[in-house]
Amino acid sequence: MSDYLLKSICFDGQVRVYTIDATETVREAQKRHDTWSASSAALGRTMIGALLLGATLKGKEKITVKVEGNGPAGHIIVDSNSKGEVKGYIANPKVSLPPNAAGKIDVRGAVGTEGSLTVTKDLGMKDTFSGQVPLISGELGEDFTYYMANSEQTPSAFGLSVLVDTDDSIKTAGGFMIQVMPGATDETITKLEQSIASIPMVSHLMETGEKPEEILERLVGEGNAKILEKTPITFNCDCSKDRFSRAIIALGSKEIDDMITEDQGAEASCHFCGNHYHFTVEDLEALKVSSNS
Ligand code: ZN
């Protein structure tokens, strides 16, 4: 069973609704970073939010979401794009906390309540858009909602949820994004507010086998949605030995010399996916030549 995101337009174009199953993708991130429950939920929710925002992009456009809170998880950085690819980093993967008052994973406790959420969109041709809002919740769904209202002037609602098993593995992960278009009627908005207030956590619905199609129907009611597109979602990091080589070259020949004489080689690992790259003395000699040219 693989992940996907469903794009739909509802109530005759008044509302845009995206629903997503990101279970395998968040599971992959959890394994690669060996995250503990609160870190898994914080990173997973940020990944789901970035995927939902990324789905509004076109072509080669990309998005980076940065959450910088004052909690023990530290900063979280997630990259996504219009093709449904995502990669993520969390400064402290080993945060697990007692459940919050609602008996859920304490994401706010991990992320913190002071800080910022920054979204940067790379629209190609050196054209970038960046928006930043202060964290208002730390639970992240509300923070993404606040970002949309303030930075993009779009009334919206985000539901982001990750269900973690007792052994720290990911049971389910998913969510939704609702964007209200100009011209939406009060009747439609009231209907949506009621369904958002009453819908159970998406991750719990998915645990019982519900798919993005069924979650969409819960949100807007039967017959009100027109599905436009189904996009596959994958964890994908674009790092390579070549990319790390360029970073080593940029350090300069003196630094490379130190790696050769003191360390007899170099190890590099990617913050986003955990892949390791080994550079032998011969590799480094070649890079040193490039750094001098
Ligand atoms: Zn990587």
Side-chain angles (χ1 to χ4, degrees):
M1 169 64 225
S2 52
D3 294 346
Y4 62 94
L5 182 147
L6 211 59
K7 294 184 188 179
S8 71
I9 192 89
C10 308
F11 302 106
D12 296 320
Q14 296 178 57
V15 185
R16 177 194 254 181
V17 181
Y18 291 178
T19 50
I20 180 174
D21 178 357
T23 301
E24 293 296 335
T25 308
V26 174
R27 193 173 280 159
E28 178 79 20
Q30 189 279 328
K31 281 190 209 152
R32 284 177 175 269
H33 297 291
D34 193 20
T35 47
W36 294 359
S37 61
S39 293
S40 301
L43 176 61
R45 286 188 191 182
T46 309
M47 287 171 67
I48 296 163
L51 282 162
L52 289 163
L53 285 179
T56 64
L57 302 175
K58 295 181 289 288
K60 290 184 171 169
E61 297 175 352
K62 293 187 282 194
I63 190 169
T64 299
V65 174
K66 207 182 280 184
V67 176
E68 291 167 290
N70 62 343
H75 62 286
I76 301 167
I77 304 171
V78 174
D79 281 356
S80 185
N81 59 29
S82 67
K83 292 178 282 186
E85 296 169 331
V86 69
K87 61 180 182 178
Y89 164 80
I90 184 162
N92 185 3
K94 314 283 187 209
V95 180
S96 103
L97 299 167
N100 63 19
K104 310 276 190 226
I105 294 177
D106 190 1
V107 174
R108 175 179 291 146
V111 170
T113 50
E114 304 275 324
S116 60
L117 172 76
T118 310
V119 174
T120 306
K121 292 180 186 173
D122 176 351
L123 306 170
M125 310 284 277
K126 294 188 176 158
D127 186 13
T128 59
F129 163 88
S130 188
Q132 186 180 67
V133 292
L135 290 178
I136 55 158
S137 154
E139 288 286 333
L140 298 172
E142 288 136 314
D143 299 294
F144 274 89
T145 301
Y146 186 69
Y147 161 79
M148 281 305 292
N150 281 270
S151 279
E152 303 202 16
Q153 283 77 47
T154 306
S156 71
F158 281 79
L160 313 172
S161 65
V162 176
L163 196 60
V164 182
D165 213 340
T166 46
D167 65 356
D168 275 339
S169 67
I170 303 298
K171 262 190 183 172
T172 58
F176 62 82
M177 174 179 73
I178 298 172
Q179 291 186 343
V180 178
M181 298 294 153
T185 64
D186 289 345
E187 191 197 344
T188 301
I189 293 169
T190 305
K191 235 186 240 176
L192 284 171
E193 282 170 349
Q194 285 166 351
S195 59
I196 293 164
S198 63
I199 192 169
M201 299 274 273
V202 170
S203 57
H204 288 281
L205 295 173
M206 286 178 164
E207 195 189 14
T208 67
E210 289 199 21
K211 304 282 173 238
E213 285 82 352
E214 288 151 302
I215 288 152
L216 171 64
E217 196 174 304
R218 276 182 183 267
L219 287 165
V220 300
E222 206 183 334
N224 291 320
K226 186 180 165 210
I227 292 171
L228 303 175
E229 206 181 316
K230 199 169 159 175
T231 313
I233 297 299
T234 51
F235 183 96
N236 184 46
C237 190
D238 51 0
C239 68
S240 62
K241 191 166 180 182
D242 190 48
R243 187 171 275 211
F244 280 97
S245 297
R246 276 175 279 160
I248 291 174
I249 290 168
L251 294 172
S253 56
K254 161 101 183 54
E255 199 76 21
I256 299 173
D257 260 335
D258 289 347
M259 292 176 184
I260 294 168
T261 53
E262 287 169 30
D263 308 322
Q264 285 86 48
E267 297 296 328
S269 64
C270 176
H271 287 316
F272 283 102
C273 70
N275 280 353
H276 292 285
Y277 297 95
H278 177 68
F279 291 87
T280 62
V281 169
E282 290 72 30
D283 290 337
L284 293 171
E285 294 284 4
L287 296 180
K288 196 177 129 186
V289 173
S290 309
S291 80
N292 287 325
S293 61

